Amino acid sequence: MAGAEEYLGKALAIAQQAADTQLGAIRVAAGLVADALAGGKTFWVFGTGHSHTLAEELYGRAGGLADVRAILEPGLMLHEGLQKSSLLERLPGLADVLLEINPLAAGDVVLIASNSGRNAVPVEFALGARERGVQVIALTSLAHSNATTSRAPGGQRLFETADVVIDNCGIPGDALIEVPGTPERTGATSTLVGALLLQALTAEIVTRLSERGLTPNVLRSLNV
């Protein structure tokens, strides 16, 4: 077994592990978001580097909640350059700027996605959000975070700053497959497993709101 077959088998095993172990965390996170939305508060989503795609997974998506505000800072995404985004997500103080221009307020909830959970921006964003009375949900790899040190000035990793942690169950370094003659592994899982967990979170939030007699604002595809 090699190549695509090996990747599919191992990636699906990680996805199954995440499904088996993270349901409790998803339910707790969904409760926080449902409480916030039912109370007229805001659900925010944020990620840097490739993790920004997970913020977009919850934003403007068919079947998703319309009541989501995504923080999509161009310099922290990838289209302005991989080196630029990698350096900026390590920059202390940048999170303070983002918190200044995005009005997170007490009673809101923010989901922050970061696979490693070690860089300054997601960690400082979480800390700043909590100082404002915002509850923080982290989507991260606990194995990766525990295998590395923080780049944030305070020394915390993302999972250490959150109210609820959802573990994508990925391995340190993200990529799975060793190919003979190739120095680095290939086949990452953080995005595909992260998206699976976030769609489960969305389904749970919509269910919780419906059970309260509320009508969730769910988006319908523009192509149907």
Side-chain angles (χ1 to χ4, degrees), residues 150-222:
S150 173
R151 291 191 176 112
Q156 303 98 325
R157 293 156 295 182
L158 180 61
F159 76 89
E160 296 169 307
T161 69
D163 296 284
V164 183
V165 177
I166 301 174
D167 182 11
N168 67 27
C169 298
I171 67 171
D174 202 3
L176 287 175
I177 307 303
E178 295 182 359
V179 178
T182 303
E184 300 295 336
R185 296 193 306 265
T186 189
T189 63
S190 59
T191 301
L192 75 92
V193 177
L196 176 73
L197 295 171
L198 293 184
Q199 289 298 335
L201 175 65
T202 298
E204 186 70 16
I205 295 167
V206 171
T207 300
R208 296 289 184 95
L209 292 171
S210 180
E211 288 174 347
R212 298 182 187 203
L214 302 173
T215 302
N217 294 321
V218 176
L219 294 169
R220 182 175 62 181
S221 172
L222 297 175

Side-chain angles (χ1 to χ4, degrees), residues 61-73:
R61 195 72 195 261
L65 290 161
D67 302 316
V68 173
R69 293 188 66 174
I71 300 167
L72 301 173
E73 171 57 38

Side-chain angles (χ1 to χ4, degrees), residues 45-58 70-72 76-78 82 85 89 111-119 122 138-141 158 168 174 190-192 194-195 198:
V45 292
F46 175 56
T48 64
H50 280 95
S51 292
H52 90 267
T53 61
L54 294 171
E56 289 188 293
E57 185 69 21
L58 291 176
I71 300 167
L72 301 173
L76 293 171
M77 298 160 73
L78 301 173
L82 178 60
S85 66
E89 71 178 352
L111 184 143
I112 302 173
S114 173
N115 186 62
S116 72
R118 71 182 302 211
N119 288 311
L139 175 63
T140 191
S141 165
L158 180 61
N168 67 27
D174 202 3
S190 59
T191 301
L192 75 92
L198 293 184

